[in-house]
Amino acid sequence: MANCIPHLITGDFDSLDFSLQEFYRKKGSQIIHTPDQNETDFTKSLRESTNFLREKNISADSFLIVCRNGGRMDHILSNLNTLYLAKNITCLPVFLFSGDSIIWLLDEGQHKIHVPPSVHHLHCGLIPLGEPCHHVTTTGLKWNLRNDRLNFGGLICTSNTFSGLEVVTVETERKLLWTMGTEE
Ligand SMILES: Cc1ncc(C[n+]2csc(CCOP(=O)(O)OP(=O)(O)O)c2C)c(N)n1
Ligand SMILES: O=c1ccn([C@@H]2O[C@H](COP(=O)(O)O)[C@@H](O)[C@H]2O)c(=O)[nH]1
């Protein structure tokens, strides 16, 4: 890690040691303090990173966010909320990677998800966070949905897995979180 110097360090810094901040500043990291307490560090850092890429003229395909799951349910839920907020911050896709899962937000419409055979035995799911999804249809899952309704308090799709096809298709008329296991 000694050679890994972040281009940008940003946040409210309530959990960042000042000496560590100074260490990285001297190594060349740009430091942006965002004290606003009406948005989470993740949401703000997505905005700062988007500005950073634009100012430095750096092109990127996506954001891969590596987050800890330290047991704080409010952190987990606010991280998922940031996936919904991301559309207003960046046009790049945002993938949230945590532990052995990756999760991202599917927009309304049809989706094809390419699934490498090495993860066919792992878990996947479709989570209707925030609002019911009245019509969801899938192919490529062990337990497929056929114009089914997903909602909290009713059916949500967790602990599903793959049928063995290399492509999963999802059709949804509302935004829907897609989660899947990743290789150890
Ligand atoms: C309605 C409402 N609830 C709660 C808050 C408080 N709040 C929301 S985001 C935020 C900042 C969180 O900072 P972050 O470093 O992302 O998380 P932490 O580990 O400090 O909880 C705070 C304090 C608020 N501003 N408004
Ligand atoms: O266990 C965790 C801890 C943190 N996060 C994310 O990081 C930010 C900042 O958290 P701090 O406690 O201020 O360092 C938080 O909003 C989460 O997005 C996390 O996901 N899991």
Side-chain angles (χ1 to χ4, degrees), residues 12-16 39-43 66-72 75-76 78-79 82 96 98:
D12 60 12
F13 298 159
D14 62 354
S15 61
L16 177 63
E39 288 187 307
T40 66
D41 276 358
F42 176 22
T43 304
V66 180
C67 71
R68 296 176 287 150
N69 265 337
R72 284 263 309 258
H75 274 161
I76 294 170
S78 70
N79 288 343
T82 302
L96 195 59
S98 178

Side-chain angles (χ1 to χ4, degrees), residues 8 10 44-54 63:
L8 174 66
T10 184
K44 290 182 286 183
S45 67
L46 202 54
R47 189 174 299 110
E48 294 302 333
S49 304
T50 301
N51 294 341
F52 182 88
L53 292 175
R54 191 177 46 244
F63 283 103

